[in-house]
Amino acid sequence: MSNELPPIAEARMAEIRQSGTWGSALSSDEFAAIRSVGFDSVGQVLGAAVYNVGYTGGYNCPGGWAGYGRWGPAPTPGTQVSSRGGYGSFGPLVQTMYQARRAAIGRMTAECAELGGHGVVGVRLSIGPFPAGGLEFKAIGTAVRAPGAPPLSEPFTSDLSGQDFAKLVMRGWMPAGLALGISIGARHDDWLTVGQTRWGSGNAEVTGYTELVNDARHDARTQLRADVKRIGAQGVVVAGMEFRVRERECPAQEGRRDHIVEAINIGTAIVRFHDYSERNGPPPLAIMSLDPQRRQAARVNIGANRT
């Protein structure tokens, strides 16, 4: 997927550079925090991609032909997750979700590079329906620059707030890029699940649903870890975890249902650039006395020093 900017975006970047002004999606507190660690805002940057989602996979029923009853044939694994493939897998849909998000992020970082920025902070990823059909994937953030520092081969991206970004830098860490972990799990409601969800089953764990939730969450974390490794980072700070559950009519067995879980983990992959020692200790904190006489004496001393 090419990250080249469309002509309208190129024109907007040129206008920002010529104007000598910049925009920002940061709050005043975030702006102050970023300035405190030596970074300046250079402009608000955006990346977008509209995808038509056609073939998604998942048309087979996961575990729909498992054995019935205690004496039936050995049941096949009831839960399918996108990374493992197989019947009922939503692998093609997950690959599209990766491609679309990375395309939006890539175009956003391309705008950052056009403005001479070193990275983008406060990134917000969103997805929504496009009126003409398909889905719009969008990434928006604020490009920042460290004056005097050499340009990077590729700007970093981070979904951390300005304050969290500053804390990270003060402790000797820098963002490397946004890491994604996406998984879709599906499970057929077999005879055991149906029995455990009946009104008369009492208060009991639904083992099939537990397996579905655990498998999808575990797979999303595994994919996130793999993305951190792809970026070349040492760790990840996870700021957002999405989890959605839906059901559908089973395409293989009339009257039966499938449950589908979508798990998405998004975080900032980080690398260490300075060996910060905790022995230095945190900066001293100002302490206010609860004694009114001592507070009055302190104000008098401050006034005397000013004069």
Side-chain angles (χ1 to χ4, degrees), residues 159-277:
D159 62 352
L160 298 176
S161 67
Q163 294 93 326
D164 289 340
F165 170 78
K167 292 176 184 177
L168 200 70
V169 174
M170 291 174 64
R171 292 301 186 268
W173 293 86
M174 278 294 293
L178 284 173
L180 308 174
I182 306 174
S183 179
I184 297 181
R187 184 182 178 89
H188 176 73
D189 283 353
D190 55 19
W191 64 272
L192 184 59
T193 302
V194 172
Q196 291 174 335
T197 54
R198 285 175 178 160
W199 179 82
S201 61
N203 300 329
E205 179 183 13
V206 184
T207 55
Y209 293 168
T210 299
E211 179 186 304
L212 172 61
V213 168
N214 285 336
D215 282 7
R217 289 188 186 276
H218 174 75
D219 188 48
R221 289 177 177 270
T222 300
Q223 302 310 312
L224 179 68
R225 186 168 61 250
D227 209 33
V228 172
K229 185 176 180 180
R230 177 189 65 85
I231 294 171
Q234 295 167 268
V236 60
V237 180
V238 178
M241 300 177 65
E242 301 178 20
F243 191 79
R244 291 186 286 270
V245 182
R246 60 185 174 91
E247 66 176 8
R248 68 173 183 184
E249 186 76 23
C250 177
Q253 292 184 349
E254 185 177 355
R256 289 298 182 93
R257 310 289 294 176
D258 292 337
H259 278 82
I260 300 168
V261 165
E262 180 180 321
I264 301 176
N265 294 340
I266 301 175
T268 296
I270 59 176
V271 293
R272 181 177 288 279
F273 75 94
H274 182 266
D275 197 9
Y276 177 87
S277 175

Side-chain angles (χ1 to χ4, degrees), residues 59-77:
Y59 292 117
N60 293 308
C61 185
W65 303 110
Y68 290 85
R70 296 181 182 273
W71 296 277
T76 59

Side-chain angles (χ1 to χ4, degrees), residues 90-174:
F90 285 85
L93 175 59
V94 169
Q95 291 304 313
T96 301
M97 294 170 70
Y98 274 120
Q99 291 173 6
R101 282 181 168 89
R102 286 171 179 163
I105 293 171
R107 289 164 185 162
M108 179 186 66
T109 55
E111 287 196 358
C112 175
E114 285 284 331
L115 294 176
H118 290 103
V120 187
V121 298
V123 177
R124 294 295 174 263
L125 299 177
S126 63
I127 176 175
F130 190 71
L135 296 172
E136 180 188 14
F137 296 79
K138 183 171 62 177
I140 187 170
T142 299
V144 297
R145 175 177 56 210
L152 300 177
S153 58
E154 182 177 351
F156 64 80
T157 53
S158 169
D159 62 352
L160 298 176
S161 67
Q163 294 93 326
D164 289 340
F165 170 78
K167 292 176 184 177
L168 200 70
V169 174
M170 291 174 64
R171 292 301 186 268
W173 293 86
M174 278 294 293

Side-chain angles (χ1 to χ4, degrees), residues 62-63 77-82 84-89 184-187 212 215:
T79 300
Q80 295 283 349
V81 292
S82 49
R84 292 201 297 256
Y87 295 110
S89 169
I184 297 181
R187 184 182 178 89
L212 172 61
D215 282 7

